[in-house]
Amino acid sequence: MNIDYSEKIPNNVELASNRTLQRALEHWQPEFQHWWADMGPEGTSTADVYLRTAISVEPKGWAHFDHVKMRDYRWGIFLAPAEAGRRVNFGAHKGEPAWQEVPGEYRSNLRRLIVTQGDTEPASVEQQRHLGLTCPSLYDLRNLFQVNVEEGRHLWAMVYLLQAYFGRDGREEAEALLERRSGDADDPRILGAFNEKTPDWLAFFMFTFFTDRDGKYQLCSLAESGFDSLARTCRFMLTEEAHHMFVGESGVGRIIQRTCEAMVQHKVDDAAKIRALGLIDLPTIQRYLNFHFSVTMDLFGADVSSNAATFYSTGLKGRFDETRIGDDHLLTGATYPVLEVRDGRLLTSEAPALNAVNEKLRDDYVKDALAGIERWNKIIEKSGIAFRLKAPHKAFNRKIGPLSAARIDPDGNVMSEGDWTHQHLHWLPSEADRAFVASLMGRVTEPGRFANWIAPPARGINNQPVDFQYVRFN
Ligand SMILES: [Fe+2]
Ligand SMILES: [Fe+2]
């Protein structure tokens, strides 16, 4: 299924034959462009960037690469192909045909799910807008911009659903998505992690590794939705998300590689000496990892949640890989382990599985993230350095749910407020850590050159050489 680019808004939803929707989207489009000019990547409106654009929604061959100005990027509306005879696969409506319209009784819950997902997309663009000014290479700059335009397109995807299926209140929500601002005191983004700063490139790579991976898990569970358009929209978004996580994993991996090479070459393992070489020491990478991991843990919501139970039992939001799980898909009488602090210790108790779907998604996510951290450890191991990166305990540094009431160290030990105050800077980046990392950030824009603190990638994008002119400044 190819996408028609002769249209003002490229799409595969037959926009041309839906005048009401077309009018709503054409009204929203200039507002989006204003938002992009104001809040999108800073100082780069005239650059030509080697970007990938979706031209088809088929699993193979959907991407086209070319130099384009970001403001001319063909944002559009693309849904994965419809699955003939698709059914609701879980909850009270299991076995019924998937919904082609929004069921009236689930309208406000569905709108809320779509708005919450939609809000994260422009938020991350806002969080990352300054990073182009300190890019470590043209290759990395291009990857940043690719992530940014695709998050912009994800916003389009959610706005399409709001405008196509939710009438006037959907249109109002679509406007509000362009009005909230990441980190704004009066009108912030909805979720905490999306109001944090992404001040430097180590933070950016950690964000795309950890927080975009949360995006993957959220999209996977929405891709199970009984509401077919939501499922199809999210399934196509997932094809783009894979690249965002690649940017994060390979970015952190290249920093680790560079640091390890220098540690071996100069025979140093003292953090101060490594910093003196203009490199990021492994303990600092560990503290960044701890921060981004814990902030992302909170994105999955409360461990035991009646909202999550409702979303599941009404068929709106499923579990990760729902159809591959061999149970009744109703969770009747089933339980799931959740954590609680009792008598100063972290204990496991069994909660109704229906109320613990957030916790299950968090656990599925943790498994995936741990595998990626192990791939980073392989890089360290290969260089013969005795250091291992480690994910903190999932209860560490939580701000949401019952665990947020306790202070818990990275190994899962409950500690006193006083001990936390003394020790937390061993585990989380300090102002000094962030200032040091910031001091390394400078702008490198010569093709094939890389900042001192990061290794070049093994290969370029789309079979282009590493020293390709990924961004042309005009
Ligand atoms: Fe996204
Ligand atoms: Fe993403």
Side-chain angles (χ1 to χ4, degrees), residues 121 147 151 154 212 241 244:
E121 315 289 358
V147 170
E151 301 304 6
H154 291 177
D212 284 79
E241 210 61 73
H244 307 179

Side-chain angles (χ1 to χ4, degrees), residues 20-168:
T20 315
L21 175 61
Q22 198 177 8
R23 264 199 304 275
L25 284 166
E26 285 181 1
H27 176 77
W28 188 81
Q29 188 175 40
E31 294 176 12
F32 170 82
Q33 274 152 350
H34 282 143
W35 168 81
W36 182 267
D38 280 359
M39 296 311 295
E42 204 174 304
T44 44
S45 61
T46 58
D48 290 308
V49 187
Y50 189 68
L51 292 177
R52 155 179 101 163
T53 305
I55 50 168
S56 152
V57 293
E58 299 302 329
K60 280 194 184 115
W62 62 270
H64 172 76
F65 286 82
D66 207 353
H67 281 92
V68 290
K69 290 188 183 29
M70 279 187 282
R71 60 166 184 247
D72 299 331
Y73 190 75
R74 303 315 309 273
W75 284 291
I77 298 154
F78 318 126
L79 274 60
E83 205 182 289
R86 183 169 179 267
R87 298 191 170 266
V88 181
N89 293 315
F90 58 93
H93 299 283
K94 192 183 136 199
E96 295 173 16
W99 311 310
Q100 302 306 321
E101 291 298 329
V102 173
E105 67 269 44
Y106 305 143
R107 195 183 152 86
S108 72
N109 275 346
L110 265 173
R111 193 183 55 215
R112 178 168 163 198
L113 283 170
I114 293 166
V115 166
T116 306
Q117 177 62 41
D119 193 67
T120 66
E121 315 289 358
S124 67
V125 174
E126 292 166 358
Q127 288 170 295
Q128 294 162 15
R129 69 181 302 256
H130 304 293
L131 291 170
L133 304 176
T134 58
C135 61
S137 72
L138 282 188
Y139 166 90
D140 290 292
L141 185 62
R142 176 266 166 209
N143 283 348
L144 166 71
F145 290 163
Q146 183 71 53
V147 170
N148 292 160
V149 293
E150 286 176 350
E151 301 304 6
R153 208 202 63 71
H154 291 177
L155 171 61
W156 272 88
M158 293 298 117
V159 163
Y160 156 72
L161 294 172
L162 290 169
Q163 295 195 336
Y165 295 95
F166 294 89
R168 174 192 281 269

Side-chain angles (χ1 to χ4, degrees), residues 197-218:
K197 286 198 165 69
T198 309
D200 59 64
W201 280 76
L202 178 56
F204 169 64
F205 292 135
M206 288 290 181
F207 184 99
T208 43
F209 180 87
F210 287 108
T211 309
D212 284 79
R213 190 177 311 274
D214 161 69
K216 167 186 163 183
Y217 279 79
Q218 300 300 337

Side-chain angles (χ1 to χ4, degrees), residues 135-145 201 205 243 246-247 250-251 254 444 446-450 454-462 464-471:
C135 61
S137 72
L138 282 188
Y139 166 90
D140 290 292
L141 185 62
R142 176 266 166 209
N143 283 348
L144 166 71
F145 290 163
W201 280 76
F205 292 135
H243 176 69
F246 159 80
V247 169
S250 59
R254 287 160 51 215
V444 178
E446 193 184 306
R449 258 202 63 210
F450 288 80
I454 189 166
R459 60 191 66 82
I461 293 292
N462 191 35
Q464 298 291 355
V466 169
D467 63 359
F468 185 65
Q469 184 100 41
Y470 288 103
V471 182

Side-chain angles (χ1 to χ4, degrees), residues 106-322:
Y106 305 143
R107 195 183 152 86
S108 72
N109 275 346
L110 265 173
R111 193 183 55 215
R112 178 168 163 198
L113 283 170
I114 293 166
V115 166
T116 306
Q117 177 62 41
D119 193 67
T120 66
E121 315 289 358
S124 67
V125 174
E126 292 166 358
Q127 288 170 295
Q128 294 162 15
R129 69 181 302 256
H130 304 293
L131 291 170
L133 304 176
T134 58
C135 61
S137 72
L138 282 188
Y139 166 90
D140 290 292
L141 185 62
R142 176 266 166 209
N143 283 348
L144 166 71
F145 290 163
Q146 183 71 53
V147 170
N148 292 160
V149 293
E150 286 176 350
E151 301 304 6
R153 208 202 63 71
H154 291 177
L155 171 61
W156 272 88
M158 293 298 117
V159 163
Y160 156 72
L161 294 172
L162 290 169
Q163 295 195 336
Y165 295 95
F166 294 89
R168 174 192 281 269
D169 39 338
R171 289 194 293 277
E172 284 168 6
E173 293 286 10
E175 313 260 309
L177 286 169
L178 296 176
E179 284 159 12
R180 286 185 287 274
R181 290 285 180 274
S182 176
D184 190 282
D186 301 319
D187 197 10
R189 293 293 173 185
I190 296 170
L191 300 170
F194 292 90
N195 289 304
E196 298 283 348
K197 286 198 165 69
T198 309
D200 59 64
W201 280 76
L202 178 56
F204 169 64
F205 292 135
M206 288 290 181
F207 184 99
T208 43
F209 180 87
F210 287 108
T211 309
D212 284 79
R213 190 177 311 274
D214 161 69
K216 167 186 163 183
Y217 279 79
Q218 300 300 337
L219 291 175
C220 281
S221 25
L222 292 171
E224 303 287 347
S225 181
F227 176 37
D228 205 37
S229 287
L230 175 59
R232 291 173 54 203
T233 300
C234 291
R235 225 170 308 132
F236 187 68
M237 289 162 76
L238 280 163
T239 61
E240 294 164 325
E241 210 61 73
H243 176 69
H244 307 179
M245 289 180 293
F246 159 80
V247 169
E249 182 171 334
S250 59
V252 174
R254 287 160 51 215
I255 297 175
I256 293 170
Q257 189 189 328
R258 177 72 184 103
T259 297
C260 289
E261 281 166 4
M263 287 170 76
V264 171
Q265 188 194 343
H266 298 277
K267 299 193 176 59
V268 287
D269 61 4
D270 177 71
K273 287 182 183 153
I274 291 160
R275 286 187 175 197
L277 294 169
L279 303 170
I280 306 175
D281 52 290
L282 299 175
T284 297
I285 294 174
Q286 175 70 62
R287 288 191 287 275
Y288 269 67
L289 184 162
N290 290 345
F291 173 77
H292 286 272
F293 183 91
S294 64
V295 165
T296 304
M297 283 295 94
D298 275 335
L299 286 175
F300 292 86
D303 321 34
V304 176
S305 160
S306 56
N307 280 332
T310 303
F311 296 155
Y312 185 84
S313 58
T314 53
L316 308 187
K317 184 180 178 185
R319 291 170 293 174
F320 177 67
D321 266 349
E322 181 69 47

Side-chain angles (χ1 to χ4, degrees), residues 387-402:
F387 186 96
R388 285 183 64 73
L389 292 166
K390 216 173 134 220
H393 195 281
K394 66 178 176 177
F396 169 72
N397 194 34
R398 292 284 294 278
K399 303 277 192 278
I400 286 180

